[in-house]
């Protein structure tokens, strides 16, 4: 835990927070904090600052927080992702939050199994907990917005322009295409990356995405697993954007 994340509602009028959960356990058992020690704190979707330890007991830590005025900017990259296997998306949430995305759009595709949409990994409380754990590692406070779409066509044709306006749109597609790094080197706005299922987009889906402004990009001819593709593509795009 590189950042103790707290809800705004947990702060009292004097900017104190009382921790009695896994955060307190980590501070006591791993960081071995004592009164007077300062740790990095952040308000979820809010500012970052320092928290001074005022009291430590077996299962409780009291911090008095001093927060900066500036709130971290939302990451400039959004991800349109064909819903992977439940276990894969379950472990991807934290990695995506660490790398930095502003919005995650989970969508259906021809090669996505229908039962994936019934998995507990799509439960809002579950995914929020995983995202926050990733943010704590990356020292960020901005929780990605997550939406689930059972129709790729409806998402791309009817909803995407409002959800991600004015973005550079990239379509991950193994083959002879420009690299995502080269394509984003001069981009100044937001970017949305579309990553398909491990079996790939079919011809209709690929044509649909291209018709709505998505430009094919590739890292070579290899077909990657979803988690590998997400991490590699986000890393390259963030590096090109300088974020």
């Amino acid at each position: 835990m590189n950042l103790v994340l707290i809800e705004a509602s947990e702060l009292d009028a004097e900017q104190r927070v009382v921790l009695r959960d896994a955060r307190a356990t980590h501070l006591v058992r791993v960081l071995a904090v004592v009164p007077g020690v300062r740790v990095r704190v952040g308000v979820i979707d809010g500012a970052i600052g320092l928290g001074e330890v005022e009291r430590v007991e077996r299962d409780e830590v009291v911090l008095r927080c001093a927060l900066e005025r500036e709130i971290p900017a939302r990451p400039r990259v959004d991800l349109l992702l064909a819903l992977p296997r439940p276990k894969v998306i379950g472990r991807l949430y934290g990695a995506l939050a660490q790398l930095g995305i502003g919005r995650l759009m989970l969508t259906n595709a021809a090669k996505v199994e229908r039962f994936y949409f019934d998995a507990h990994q799509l439960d809002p409380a579950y995914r929020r907990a995983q995202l926050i754990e990733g943010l704590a590692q990356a020292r960020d406070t901005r929780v990605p917005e997550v939406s689930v779409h059972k129709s790729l066509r409806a998402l791309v044709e009817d909803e995407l322009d409002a959800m991600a306006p004015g973005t550079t749109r990239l379509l991950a597609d193994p083959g002879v295409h420009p690299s995502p790094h080269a394509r984003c080197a001069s981009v100044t706005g937001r970017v949305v990356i579309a990553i398909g299922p491990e079996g790939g987009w079919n011809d209709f889906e690929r044509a649909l995405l291209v018709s709505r402004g998505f430009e094919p990009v590739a890292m070579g001819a290899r077909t990657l697993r979803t988690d590998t593709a997400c991490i590699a593509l986000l890393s390259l795009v963030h590096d090109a954007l300088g974020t």
Side-chain angles (χ1 to χ4, degrees), residues 157-175:
E157 291 186 343
D158 303 329
E159 303 172 65
L160 187 60
D161 287 345
M163 297 173 69
T167 52
T168 295
R169 299 178 177 183
L170 306 180
L171 170 63
D173 187 38

Side-chain angles (χ1 to χ4, degrees), residues 16 41 48 50 53 78 104 119 132 136 153 161 167 172 192 195 218 228 233 240:
R16 285 188 179 88
V41 298
I48 292 174
L50 293 174
V53 179
D78 299 327
L104 173 61
I132 288 174
R153 184 169 187 173
D161 287 345
T167 52
V192 57
I195 299 178
T228 304
L233 282 162

Side-chain angles (χ1 to χ4, degrees), residues 59-178:
D59 298 313
E60 179 179 288
V61 176
V62 178
L63 302 175
R64 185 174 184 131
C65 303
L67 300 169
E68 300 171 0
R69 293 185 178 181
E70 185 176 352
I71 297 175
R74 186 170 294 279
R76 288 170 54 195
V77 184
D78 299 327
L79 183 60
L80 188 160
L81 178 64
L83 183 61
R85 289 172 290 126
K87 288 184 178 180
V88 174
I89 190 59
R91 65 172 180 258
L92 255 179
Y93 289 131
L96 297 177
Q98 288 175 56
L99 290 166
I101 58 171
R103 181 187 291 272
L104 173 61
M105 295 164 277
L106 296 170
T107 186
N108 202 356
K111 296 178 183 177
V112 171
E113 298 287 347
R114 297 299 184 267
F115 73 87
Y116 290 0
F117 288 91
D118 299 322
H120 76 88
Q121 286 87 349
L122 293 187
D123 179 76
Y126 174 89
R127 71 191 185 213
R128 180 176 171 82
Q130 302 302 311
L131 291 167
I132 288 174
E133 185 176 336
L135 293 175
Q137 174 66 33
R139 294 182 180 175
D140 191 10
T141 67
R142 301 302 296 266
V143 181
E145 298 177 19
V146 182
S147 54
V148 180
H149 307 266
K150 293 189 176 181
S151 169
L152 173 66
R153 184 169 187 173
L155 168 61
V156 173
E157 291 186 343
D158 303 329
E159 303 172 65
L160 187 60
D161 287 345
M163 297 173 69
T167 52
T168 295
R169 299 178 177 183
L170 306 180
L171 170 63
D173 187 38
V176 183
H177 304 299

